[in-house]
Amino acid sequence: MTKTTEYQVPALARGLHIIELFDANHRVLSTQDFADQLGVSASSTYRIVQTLLDRGYLKKVARNAYELGPQIVSRGFAYLAGKDLIDVAAPHLNQLRDETSISCHLAIRDGLDTLYIYRAQASQRLSVNIPLGTRLPCHTSAMGRVLLQQLSDIEFSAIYQAQQLDMHPHPHPQTIAELKRLLKDEWQQGYSSNRSDNATAIAAPIHNYMGKVVAAINISGADQVMNDAEKFEETKNQLLKTAKSISQVVPI
């Protein structure tokens, strides 16, 4: 036994190996697939697979068949909340806030939630300021729907197939079909918008160098300000310009 392997935890190593078996060409794997790759019997993988299921790193799609669970996506996107992304976006959002006197936010997707990771807070009495760390269901927020646009049909179906959207009242989408139509319409127009609690938010995507949506920004103001059509259009254009500027230098 080498010194390297002497300190390894076999069960942990096998669990990580199982996760690493999934890729673009192997989205669904069986317990027999796990056993074959690990060189053990299928029964020997039971406790490891069950642990990964309980922790959300695997998701059962059929009897003895699994795909990667939401925690894989969650941990991956939580990494994007690192200092580099915030450092790059913050000056742009602060400038947008100063130019418009309206609050701006930066968010990433964490599973089914929009996770707020930066806020450029406006000082006006009627400003809208969402606390850092706030989580909102993606389908109920403008930034969340922007973040959902990065998902393929397979990925979208995997995370939403068991979700009940009508727990949140109108004007939020009430069905998966309605959500898909809204996502398509907003993708085509290049931004998302959402009205709730006497406030209006407009959101735009942040793309990396490969064109993938890695984050979203919004500008969120009281309806007394945002209901004016001319102000809405002007603010939207400033937001889109800011999103483009951030995308050109985003480090991920």
Side-chain angles (χ1 to χ4, degrees):
M1 178 182 294
T2 66
K3 189 172 183 179
T4 301
T5 58
E6 179 183 354
Y7 295 104
Q8 287 189 4
V9 179
L12 176 59
R14 288 178 177 177
L16 293 173
H17 191 174
I18 285 173
I19 291 172
E20 291 166 357
L21 293 176
F22 293 89
D23 58 31
N25 297 316
H26 302 87
R27 294 180 179 273
V28 177
L29 296 171
S30 68
T31 49
Q32 191 58 54
D33 293 325
F34 301 150
D36 291 343
Q37 291 295 321
L38 293 172
V40 298
S41 66
S43 60
S44 298
T45 68
Y46 176 79
R47 294 179 66 182
I48 297 172
V49 170
Q50 191 59 52
T51 300
L52 293 173
L53 281 170
D54 292 344
R55 301 288 295 182
Y57 289 96
L58 288 182
K59 182 178 180 180
K60 195 169 187 176
V61 295
R63 184 176 181 182
N64 295 326
Y66 307 89
E67 63 186 7
L68 289 177
Q71 277 292 350
I72 296 294
V73 177
S74 172
R75 295 308 99 202
F77 278 90
Y79 175 77
L80 299 182
K83 192 170 184 293
D84 287 345
L85 177 60
I86 296 174
D87 279 353
V88 166
H92 296 273
L93 292 177
N94 292 342
Q95 182 179 350
L96 180 61
R97 183 266 323 273
D98 293 342
E99 291 174 350
T100 63
S101 298
I102 303 175
S103 296
C104 307
H105 303 86
L106 171 70
I108 58 172
R109 185 174 67 85
D110 190 4
L112 295 172
D113 292 336
T114 308
L115 175 61
Y116 285 68
I117 62 173
Y118 182 76
R119 174 182 64 182
Q121 182 172 341
S123 58
Q124 280 72 12
R125 182 176 62 85
L126 295 176
S127 62
V128 176
N129 297 299
I130 308 298
L132 297 184
T134 294
R135 292 173 178 270
L136 297 175
C138 282
H139 76 284
T140 68
S141 68
M143 282 201 294
R145 294 197 301 274
V146 164
L147 293 166
L148 289 177
Q149 292 171 10
Q150 70 183 302
L151 299 177
S152 67
D153 287 342
I154 293 176
E155 291 170 323
F156 181 89
S157 297
I159 67 172
Y160 273 101
Q161 62 182 354
Q163 298 303 310
Q164 186 176 348
L165 302 189
D166 59 6
M167 300 291 288
H168 301 273
H170 286 293
H172 305 307
Q174 298 296 290
T175 66
I176 298 298
E178 186 181 348
L179 175 58
K180 284 186 173 181
R181 286 194 298 270
L182 182 57
L183 291 177
K184 182 179 180 180
D185 290 344
E186 292 182 331
W187 175 78
Q188 290 176 338
Q189 71 183 8
Y191 69 94
S192 297
S193 62
N194 200 71
R195 283 182 166 85
S196 62
D197 299 327
N198 301 313
T200 295
I202 313 171
I206 302 300
H207 298 91
N208 66 9
Y209 68 97
M210 297 180 65
K212 182 179 180 181
V213 177
V214 295
I217 61 172
N218 83 356
I219 191 162
S220 184
D223 282 344
Q224 290 94 322
V225 176
M226 303 294 282
N227 276 345
D228 180 88
E230 184 175 342
K231 180 65 173 179
F232 182 95
E233 189 68 16
E234 177 186 350
T235 301
K236 179 202 74 179
N237 290 335
Q238 289 175 286
L239 175 75
L240 293 175
K241 181 180 177 181
T242 299
K244 183 176 180 180
S245 297
I246 297 173
S247 295
Q248 290 173 343
V249 293
V250 72
I252 47 181

